[in-house]
């Protein structure tokens, strides 16, 4: 393991059983949903990676695999030099303390019958941390204030329904911070919030990676929401990462046609910087019947005949400045 990578993901796959095909087909084989289909990437200390793709591309399943909330079909996840792919419950609990998840919906994530103080101190009870009241109170207050809800006393006795959507998402983040995690997996953390609040939550995550040295995997369907907050961007399509590179590289020199299409529809205020819009034809294919060859070929605006048969090797953009598909075509 490279010592700069404290999370390494190799060949990760998750297939879900989709049952047998219908009565009128010949095959009796059980079919599978290829939700995650061979993902490789590394995460560095205090790094922010934006994981971008349309809904259904497998990014949320990938997050669940990293959290250990799903068992992978194949592949490995190594965290701080330790293989965490298959752990028992006790070992898993220990890892979960260090890798925390922030879910999309701050309304669903919080128990409406608990006060903010109870919500934030609950993870400490679950993990048997800070059993002494003074230490527990201190950690809860710090987590709340580091999440931008200060002074903490104003919020501790309130209930979720007394807070705005943005404040609730800050409480969700505080409940993750109280365990002092090393990685936050933020799954569409701003998509349910008003546009005016989104930048505040993204700025908060950007601040936490500096003040608390936390690495962030920011999962989103909207490449435009990432801005310059992320160090690197990984673009996912139908269960695979098709392109990964630094934010600047991906914005300025996208290699993969799918990335180019995503970028082309982001609104740009300066008309001189606008790209020609590429509207992808058709729907994302069914992950039960993944297309042969390059899985993007049915929708790719520059596909050639060879793309139906050959799947281009994955080459990180940062190393080659070439999309894998261009190598295939050459
Ligand atoms: Fe498009 Fe072919 Fe490249 Fe796939 S391999 S992205 S179909 S050009």
């Amino acid at each position: 393991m490279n010592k700069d990578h404290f999370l390494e993901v190799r060949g990760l796959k998750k297939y879900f059983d989709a049952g047998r095909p219908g009565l009128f087909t010949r095959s009796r084989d059980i079919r599978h949903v290829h939700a995650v289909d061979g993902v490789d990437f590394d995460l560095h200390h205090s790094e922010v990676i934006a994981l971008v793709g349309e809904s259904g591309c497998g990014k949320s399943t990938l997050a669940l695999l990293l959290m250990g909330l799903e068992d992978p079909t194949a592949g490995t996840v190594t965290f701080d030099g330790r293989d965490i792919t298959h752990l028992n419950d006790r070992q898993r609990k220990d890892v979960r303390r260090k890798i925390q998840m922030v879910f999309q919906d701050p309304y669903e994530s919080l128990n409406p019958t608990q006060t903010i103080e109870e919500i934030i101190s609950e993870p400490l009870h679950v993990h048997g941390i800070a059993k002494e009241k003074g230490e527990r109170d201190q950690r809860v207050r710090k987590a709340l204030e580091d999440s931008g809800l200060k002074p903490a006393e104003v919020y501790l006795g309130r209930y979720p329904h007394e807070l705005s959507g943005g404040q609730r998402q800050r409480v969700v983040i505080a409940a993750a911070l109280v365990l002092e995690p090393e990685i936050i997996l933020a799954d569409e953390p701003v998509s349910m919030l008003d546009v005016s609040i989104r930048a505040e939550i993204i700025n908060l995550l950007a601040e936490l990676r500096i003040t608390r040295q936390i690495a962030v995997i920011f999962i989103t369907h909207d490449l435009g929401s990432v801005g310059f907050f992320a160090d690197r961007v990984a673009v996912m399509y139908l269960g695979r990462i098709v392109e990964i590179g630094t934010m600047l590289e991906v914005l300025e020199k996208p290699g993969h046609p799918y990335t180019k299409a995503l970028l082309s529809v982001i609104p740009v205020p300066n008309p001189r910087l606008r790209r020609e819009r590429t509207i992808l034809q058709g729907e994302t294919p069914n992950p039960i019947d993944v297309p042969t060859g390059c899985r993007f070929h049915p929708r790719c605006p520059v596909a050639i005949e060879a793309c139906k048969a050959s799947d281009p090797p994955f080459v990180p953009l940062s190393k080659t400045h070439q999309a894998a598909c261009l190598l295939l075509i050459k």
Side-chain angles (χ1 to χ4, degrees):
M1 172 164 175
N2 184 323
K3 66 178 170 38
D4 292 335
H5 307 159
F6 82 132
L7 188 80
E8 278 190 3
V9 178
R10 293 289 176 268
L12 201 61
K13 294 185 181 182
K14 179 64 188 180
Y15 296 168
F16 294 102
D17 188 344
R20 296 187 189 281
L23 281 177
F24 304 106
T25 51
R26 279 195 190 161
S27 170
R28 303 305 301 143
D29 294 342
I30 290 180
R31 301 176 308 159
H32 294 99
V33 177
H34 299 74
V36 173
D37 204 7
V39 163
D40 299 85
F41 73 96
D42 305 308
L43 180 71
H44 305 196
H45 285 280
S46 320
E47 185 186 28
V48 178
I49 284 191
L51 194 59
V52 183
E54 292 165 302
S55 69
C57 73
K59 50 195 192 314
S60 294
T61 306
L62 177 59
L64 296 177
L65 289 169
L66 299 179
M67 281 294 292
L69 295 172
E70 289 285 355
D71 282 327
T73 307
T76 56
V77 181
T78 310
F79 175 56
D80 250 343
R82 178 178 171 207
D83 186 342
I84 60 163
T85 321
H86 302 285
L87 299 178
N88 62 33
D89 289 351
R90 193 189 54 74
Q91 294 166 324
R92 176 61 60 198
K93 193 169 160 188
D94 187 40
V95 170
R96 269 197 208 131
R97 191 162 68 80
K98 297 177 183 164
I99 307 179
Q100 281 288 299
M101 195 145 177
V102 171
F103 291 97
Q104 176 178 19
D105 187 347
Y107 297 87
E108 288 283 314
S109 313
L110 302 175
N111 182 341
T113 66
Q114 288 183 313
T115 63
I116 303 308
E117 182 172 14
E118 287 165 343
I119 288 169
I120 298 175
S121 52
E122 187 168 280
L124 296 174
H125 291 298
V126 170
H127 287 270
I129 299 168
K131 291 180 184 163
E132 197 264 314
K133 186 170 173 355
E135 187 193 349
R136 193 168 59 241
D137 288 351
Q138 198 184 12
R139 282 180 78 142
V140 169
R141 280 176 164 70
K142 178 148 177 49
L144 206 51
E145 296 202 342
D146 282 1
S147 304
L149 296 175
K150 40 185 150 176
E153 287 67 29
V154 172
Y155 299 94
L156 288 170
R158 293 196 189 174
Y159 288 87
H161 73 268
E162 298 176 276
L163 304 181
S164 67
Q167 287 172 330
R168 288 180 197 213
Q169 196 59 302
R170 288 177 189 273
V171 171
V172 174
I173 292 170
L177 284 188
V178 79
L179 291 173
E180 299 180 352
E182 294 174 32
I183 299 176
I184 285 184
L185 283 168
D187 189 1
E188 302 271 11
V190 297
S191 62
M192 307 256 321
L193 302 177
D194 289 347
V195 176
S196 56
I197 309 292
R198 289 179 188 176
E200 289 179 16
I201 297 296
I202 289 176
N203 287 342
L204 170 62
L205 291 171
E207 236 175 80
L208 292 173
R209 62 88 64 96
I210 294 167
T211 55
R212 289 198 173 220
Q213 306 278 295
I214 296 174
V216 180
I217 300 180
F218 185 88
I219 297 170
T220 178
H221 67 280
D222 177 13
L223 189 47
S225 73
V226 179
F228 279 89
F229 155 62
D231 299 301
R232 286 189 296 153
V233 180
V235 180
M236 253 187 115
Y237 183 77
L238 208 57
R240 290 238 179 109
I241 290 177
V242 295
E243 179 156 351
I244 187 165
T246 67
M247 192 72 208
L248 208 59
E249 284 169 339
V250 172
L251 287 184
E252 289 192 347
K253 293 181 186 168
H256 198 280
Y258 179 57
T259 315
K260 289 180 183 172
L262 290 183
L263 283 170
S264 78
V265 292
I266 296 176
V268 179
N270 184 343
R272 282 188 304 161
L273 298 179
R274 264 179 216 147
R275 302 166 197 259
E276 195 182 327
R277 282 170 75 92
T278 306
I279 306 295
L280 293 175
Q281 300 302 314
E283 298 289 317
T284 309
N286 186 338
I288 296 176
D289 296 311
V290 176
T292 57
C294 171
R295 58 192 57 208
F296 186 54
H297 86 255
R299 302 175 76 198
C300 179
V302 292
I304 58 171
E305 200 54 31
C307 303
K308 294 181 184 167
S310 303
D311 197 8
F314 171 72
V315 182
L317 178 76
S318 53
K319 281 192 187 153
T320 64
H321 290 259
Q322 285 280 335
C325 56
L326 296 180
L327 299 179
L328 166 78
I329 292 166
K330 270 181 183 172

